[in-house]
Amino acid sequence: MATSQEGGLNKKSAWSTINRNETERLAADYMSVIAEAKTEREFVESATRAAEAAGFKRADVLSPKPLAGGGKLLFTNRGKNAVLVRMGKRPLDQGFNMVAAHVDAPRIDVKQNPLFESTGLGLFQTHYYGGIKKYQWVTIPLALHGIIYDKGGKQLQLRIGEEDSEPVFNISDILPHLGQAQAEKKMSEGVSGEALDAIVGHVPGGVSDDKTPIRTGVLKILADQLNIDEEAFAASELEFVPAMKPRDVGFDRGLILAYGHDDRICGYTALRAILDQKNNPERTQIVVLVDKEEIGSDGDTGMQSEFLELVIERLIETTGEKTTARRVFWNSVALSADVGAGMDPNYLDVFEPTNAATVGNGIVVTKFTGSRGKYSAHDASAETLHKIIGLLDESGVPWQVAEMGKVDVGGGGTIAKFLSKRGIETLDAGPALLSMHAPQELASKADLYACYLAYHAFLEKAR
Ligand code: MN
Ligand code: MN
């Protein structure tokens, strides 16, 4: 089997054209951001702080008051979705340039009645979020992030397991000595969803005739340290995420191993791309950070919600133009900024190498997503590809074209179809990852930088 491609559009490494120092600087900042922001809420908070520091003003979609001046606006939606806007000189009716990325990532959510005791352990029942390979999430250190209310009705933001001084949580796996039946199962069935209960306690805390003293002990600690009772979990939103920090990979430090590259690598580079803009824009520039992509983009904070419509209506109100959100969308262009699959040297057989992405070869331009005959795809037109590839060339951005895997093997979707449904001219473009959806995913620093360059150029110059 060939391990590299001979010729073709995709063979050039981005490392030969990018500035190594700037790439390392961007990578270091990215790694510090995703070390802290491990949930959609935390990423939106982090983005909000960065936007405000760069002069963006908080704006409300429903407020009757006129929007603050300066033209740099930040709209947030229920803490899980943000829209950043730089108002352009041209009328909104002529459309905007938008980069949209999702900031949720696969993880292990806590059920609403989580705590039980078994075999000398206190455990939380969980329900995984997104398309994970369940066997990858056992035996690793997990941190607990999210929202819960204390007995006084105060909202607490939990973040337990990220500091060295804090405990972590853990999902056990059967030892190989007794794992023969498991080993003979299909990998997708080797670890079941209900076998993802996480260990949260071990020390009995109850009186002698207590049938579940460890449960009692955990509840006592929760009451003492956080002032919460068991009922609090019913109204909580708690997520187990890998308790690991982003790390450089390889002797030459060219890759980043981290949780949540999908899709915070695009969320981060899109955010930086709008914050770092220098000139007053001709066309209005928008960056959307959105939730719930990993479970279908449904819900009031996902790309299928109409929050973007509300934002555009608010902008129209402010400029006083005689137009509608639908008309504005129809004249707009967007990059659906999401990750793709890089060719994995250990699994070359699922890729068709002349149309597969290579990590480190620049941003991946993807005409269509979907699976097995382009089913449920957003399929960009030649005109859109011509325009955007031209822009990338003109801006010195390393790029490659790819689709995800061999035709009949599988595929995936992005938010692109929910943008193009609105009439926005849309193209998928983002970095290739290895180990996508694993607790630790791999991304190339060169691709991180290429995405930043691409999103920056697109916001500034598209159309
Ligand atoms: Mn994604
Ligand atoms: Mn994903």
Side-chain angles (χ1 to χ4, degrees):
M1 159 99 27
T3 53
S4 65
Q5 299 148 89
E6 303 300 323
L9 293 172
N10 289 358
K11 72 168 188 173
K12 214 171 134 206
S13 170
W15 286 106
S16 56
T17 56
I18 56 165
N19 179 315
R20 183 76 195 247
N21 288 337
E22 283 178 30
T23 300
E24 286 298 340
R25 231 187 342 265
L26 190 75
D29 187 57
Y30 169 58
M31 290 164 78
S32 72
V33 168
I34 59 168
E36 295 298 317
K38 291 193 174 179
T39 68
E40 59 285 1
R41 285 178 192 265
E42 290 170 357
F43 196 92
V44 165
E45 257 180 45
S46 164
T48 298
R49 280 195 301 275
E52 287 185 328
F56 281 72
K57 297 274 179 280
R58 295 291 290 265
D60 186 332
V61 282
L62 300 176
S63 165
K65 286 187 267 175
L67 288 171
K72 285 158 79 175
L73 301 164
L74 168 71
F75 298 86
T76 56
N77 174 17
R78 294 166 188 181
K80 302 178 193 174
N81 168 206
V83 180
L84 290 91
V85 180
R86 292 179 82 232
M87 295 296 289
K89 294 180 221 164
R90 304 236 194 103
L92 266 174
D93 190 55
Q94 293 181 20
F96 53 74
N97 297 348
M98 180 168 86
V99 181
H102 70 92
V103 296
D104 61 321
R107 61 184 191 243
I108 310 286
D109 283 348
V110 175
K111 287 191 189 180
Q112 300 326 115
N113 185 20
L115 182 61
F116 72 103
E117 175 169 340
S118 173
T119 66
L121 300 165
L123 299 114
F124 274 180
Q125 295 281 358
T126 66
H127 194 138
Y128 61 93
Y129 173 98
I132 62 166
K133 292 163 90 172
K134 294 184 281 277
Y135 68 83
Q136 295 176 332
W137 292 73
V138 297
T139 75
I140 62 170
L142 298 170
L144 184 65
H145 290 231
I147 300 289
I148 195 163
Y149 290 85
D150 75 7
K151 290 183 214 165
K154 193 174 106 200
Q155 191 187 71
L156 308 179
Q157 245 179 312
L158 298 192
R159 194 171 186 284
I160 303 167
E162 297 294 351
E163 305 304 325
D164 288 343
S165 59
E166 293 170 351
V168 294
F169 306 91
N170 184 252
I171 301 169
S172 60
D173 192 10
I174 197 71
L175 62 166
H177 318 65
L178 301 179
Q180 205 169 327
Q182 180 194 43
E184 278 160 18
K185 285 182 183 169
K186 292 192 338 194
M187 277 177 96
S188 60
E189 292 162 5
V191 175
S192 73
E194 290 299 348
L196 291 178
D197 297 333
I199 297 168
V200 300
H202 172 54
V203 184
V207 288
S208 58
D209 62 345
D210 188 338
K211 289 207 177 61
T212 55
I214 298 168
R215 232 182 72 87
T216 305
V218 168
L219 287 171
K220 191 165 180 304
I221 289 168
L222 292 173
D224 291 348
Q225 296 183 3
L226 297 168
N227 191 31
I228 58 181
D229 54 20
E230 191 166 20
E231 202 180 299
F233 288 96
S236 70
E237 198 167 18
L238 299 172
E239 312 174 2
F240 283 117
V241 296
M244 306 173 209
K245 290 182 182 14
R247 301 293 298 266
D248 287 347
V249 172
F251 294 115
D252 53 10
R253 298 174 169 261
L255 298 151
I256 303 167
L257 182 71
Y259 168 63
H261 284 312
D262 180 8
D263 187 32
R264 295 177 192 132
I265 191 169
C266 296
Y268 170 82
T269 45
L271 177 67
R272 280 253 69 87
I274 194 166
L275 299 185
D276 293 354
Q277 294 286 333
K278 298 244 154 48
N279 307 324
N280 279 336
E282 287 293 320
R283 281 160 67 83
T284 291
Q285 301 169 344
I286 296 182
V287 164
V288 176
L289 305 174
V290 76
D291 183 27
K292 297 286 184 278
E293 190 277 341
E294 295 295 357
I295 57 169
S297 295
D298 296 289
D300 54 4
T301 53
M303 201 66 242
Q304 296 200 67
S305 91
E306 297 198 355
F307 186 67
L308 187 60
E309 276 75 359
L310 281 176
V311 169
I312 301 304
E313 285 169 13
R314 191 83 167 89
L315 299 179
I316 292 169
E317 249 171 58
T318 301
T319 63
E321 282 176 60
K322 283 208 164 48
T323 185
T324 63
R326 289 205 301 181
R327 287 179 55 105
V328 174
F329 286 150
W330 224 265
N331 283 325
S332 294
V333 286
L335 290 183
S336 162
D338 204 346
V339 299
M343 272 192 290
D344 186 321
N346 291 320
Y347 300 94
L348 281 174
D349 55 327
V350 300
F351 298 96
E352 180 275 277
T354 51
N355 287 277
T358 302
V359 285
N361 284 12
I363 191 166
V364 182
V365 170
T366 301
K367 182 180 188 297
F368 55 87
T369 52
S371 55
R372 298 179 182 90
K374 300 193 178 183
Y375 184 77
S376 202
H378 162 69
D379 194 354
S381 66
E383 289 85 345
T384 308
L385 285 154
H386 179 73
K387 182 161 65 186
I388 292 168
I389 288 172
L391 191 151
L392 296 178
D393 275 337
E394 174 195 308
S395 311
V397 180
W399 59 270
Q400 52 185 324
V401 287
E403 58 178 278
M404 191 184 278
K406 282 181 179 166
V407 173
D408 288 332
V409 169
T414 64
I415 60 171
K417 61 181 175 180
F418 307 118
L419 303 176
S420 57
K421 184 185 174 188
R422 292 169 156 106
I424 303 170
E425 188 182 356
T426 301
L427 182 63
D428 275 296
L433 300 185
L434 298 186
S435 310
M436 193 199 293
H437 286 198
Q440 297 276 277
E441 302 173 316
L442 273 171
S444 162
K445 291 180 183 176
D447 296 337
L448 170 84
Y449 191 62
C451 287
Y452 168 73
L453 293 178
Y455 302 151
H456 192 286
F458 178 85
L459 288 171
E460 189 185 356
K461 303 179 199 161
R463 251 300 144 147

